[in-house]
Amino acid sequence: MKKRILTGDRTTGKLHLGHYIGSLKSRVALQESYDTFIILADVQALTTHFKEPSKINEGIYDVAIDNLAVGLKPEEVTIFQQSQVKAIAELTIFYSMFVSVNSLRHNPTIKTEAMQYGYEDLTYGFLGYPVSQAADITFCNADLIPVGGDQLPHIEQTRKIIRRFNDLYGDGQNVLTIPEALLSETPRLPGVDGNAKMGKSLGNAIYLSDEPEVVGQKIKMTKTDTNRLRLTDRGNPDICTVATYHRAFNSTESATIGEMCRNASIGCSTCKGVLSQVINETLKPIQDRRHYYDTHRHVVREIIMTGTDRANIIGDVMVEEVKEAMKLKI
Ligand code: TRP
């Protein structure tokens, strides 16, 4: 039996290069070795976008299409819609009984996001979404979670919840599997503005669906070493976002180009031109597949429906086991 992977994305819009480097790439690489579940996290999307339901609905297709476009094969992976899997809602409720509010308030990712969205008044659902994420991971007893670094606190929280559950209700057995995070080998991708994180809501992202010209324009705007004013100035790739992108997408040339920057033998616009080309080459096959799925939405819908049915079959069994362990069966 193959081990299981579960990972996925909030359905708040199209995915970008940060998602690609952080998680999508390893999903594709591992899809044949693991029984892979991809969650279209529409409930989690509501935590920040509950006032924009149509955006989330469109986002379900966007995220499914981007996952298929990067090369996940529908016959290999289970792509499913979070809100349609009842087990996730039920497990969330059960776990929430023993998760302390303080541990949620001190979760560093929750803190950063709360600041970023400007929440004076945190909702119950937002504060608690790591509990729901623990349900996402456990309804199918996932073993491995490929994610970007910002998700590590959530995976840690999930592991804690599982240990607690097993302690409280396991009767010496592990009812739930303790998963491992699989962190991307490439460091987190900064935004084109130089911000440490590329983010949809930060307006600094290059999307998988961006046309070659748009990629070119965005790379032109991308932050470089601001001390380098003239072509003859020596540059410092260590503080240049374009250099970081070269390392992520152009590993064969990035060291040479970095050296040329240091001794002022390449200018920023040439360096950016090379980068745009490399990124567009990476995106070409992705966009070809994207075009197919975007113009065949009924196929995408069918893939999601089939995946969701499978998730429900597995989830219903898990919920029964959990209820049994919690002595809720009469
Ligand atoms: N929180 C993840 C993100 O924002 C999405 C997500 C929801 C997820 N449930 C998950 C990731 C379970 C890994 C496992 O990108």
Side-chain angles (χ1 to χ4, degrees):
M1 271 256 289
K2 285 184 187 172
K3 289 198 165 195
R4 280 196 178 143
I5 276 180
L6 183 132
T7 187
D9 315 277
R10 288 182 194 182
T11 60
T12 50
K14 297 188 168 75
L15 303 182
H16 53 65
L17 294 181
H19 294 113
Y20 184 69
I21 291 297
S23 179
L24 296 173
K25 239 175 125 172
S26 53
R27 291 176 200 178
V28 176
L30 297 171
Q31 64 178 325
E32 267 131 40
S33 328
Y34 288 82
D35 181 16
T36 298
F37 288 74
I38 303 296
I39 186 167
L40 306 169
D42 56 350
V43 179
Q44 197 175 110
L46 285 168
T47 61
T48 49
H49 289 67
F50 57 88
K51 291 178 187 153
E52 299 154 284
S54 340
K55 194 169 166 180
I56 293 180
N57 192 289
E58 182 56 25
I60 294 168
Y61 280 95
D62 283 334
V63 171
I65 290 173
D66 278 333
N67 271 281
L68 293 162
V70 294
L72 286 176
K73 298 181 192 151
E75 65 279 12
E76 230 22 277
V77 304
T78 301
I79 300 180
F80 68 96
Q81 195 186 344
Q82 185 186 28
S83 65
Q84 303 307 312
V85 178
K86 290 178 281 305
I88 294 176
E90 291 190 60
L91 294 175
T92 303
I93 295 282
F94 294 141
Y95 300 159
S96 73
M97 301 309 154
F98 57 83
V99 177
S100 91
V101 173
N102 265 333
S103 75
L104 293 166
R105 283 176 39 208
H106 292 131
N107 178 310
T109 300
I110 291 285
K111 279 193 196 166
T112 313
E113 287 175 349
M115 215 153 57
Q116 182 192 322
Y117 289 105
Y119 282 169
E120 275 92 60
D121 199 14
L122 282 188
T123 64
Y124 171 58
F126 178 82
L127 185 67
Y129 90 71
V131 183
S132 156
Q133 196 158 318
D136 300 341
I137 291 170
T138 51
F139 90 86
C140 64
N141 255 337
D143 302 282
L144 196 66
I145 323 292
V147 282
D150 60 327
Q151 295 296 304
L152 288 182
H154 299 338
I155 310 303
E156 209 31 64
Q157 196 124 33
T158 294
R159 288 160 57 91
K160 244 193 239 164
I161 289 172
I162 295 173
R163 280 195 219 101
R164 195 80 210 284
F165 184 95
N166 288 338
D167 274 357
L168 287 166
Y169 310 115
D171 208 7
Q173 309 270 77
N174 282 346
V175 182
L176 305 173
T177 307
I178 300 181
E180 302 285 339
L182 177 71
L183 197 57
S184 159
E185 282 165 27
T186 316
R188 176 153 94 181
L189 215 59
V192 293
D193 57 356
N195 186 306
K197 187 178 173 178
M198 182 177 281
K200 230 175 304 198
S201 52
L202 300 169
N204 62 7
I206 297 174
Y207 291 91
L208 297 176
S209 48
D210 279 345
E211 306 268 328
E213 308 79 63
V214 177
V215 171
Q217 281 158 14
K218 287 183 177 174
I219 295 295
K220 268 192 194 133
M221 286 169 14
T222 301
K223 193 145 178 262
T224 53
D225 168 6
T226 46
N227 297 320
R228 189 179 186 199
L229 302 175
R230 277 170 295 271
L231 201 58
T232 49
D233 294 341
R234 288 162 184 274
N236 181 2
D238 298 340
I239 54 169
C240 174
T241 303
V242 175
T244 309
Y245 290 175
H246 270 290
R247 284 193 293 278
F249 295 99
N250 191 15
S251 55
T252 50
E253 289 181 309
S254 68
T256 321
I257 293 177
E259 254 339 285
M260 290 167 79
C261 169
R262 280 186 210 282
N263 61 33
S265 61
I266 189 173
C268 291
S269 80
T270 309
C271 171
K272 286 180 164 185
V274 175
L275 177 67
S276 299
Q277 210 175 342
V278 171
I279 292 181
N280 283 327
E281 274 161 25
T282 308
L283 292 180
K284 174 79 171 80
I286 296 176
Q287 294 184 352
D288 288 348
R289 276 189 295 261
R290 190 171 211 298
H291 177 74
Y292 168 77
Y293 286 112
D294 206 23
T295 52
H296 294 78
R297 295 230 165 183
H298 60 286
V299 175
V300 180
R301 187 168 190 275
E302 207 43 51
I303 292 170
I304 300 172
M305 294 294 215
T306 308
T308 304
D309 284 345
R310 177 168 185 237
N312 268 313
I313 291 169
I314 292 166
D316 288 349
V317 174
M318 177 52 78
V319 166
E320 287 310 300
E321 283 173 29
V322 161
K323 286 182 177 169
E324 182 83 46
M326 293 181 82
K327 312 267 185 276
L328 294 171
K329 305 288 269 187
I330 59 163

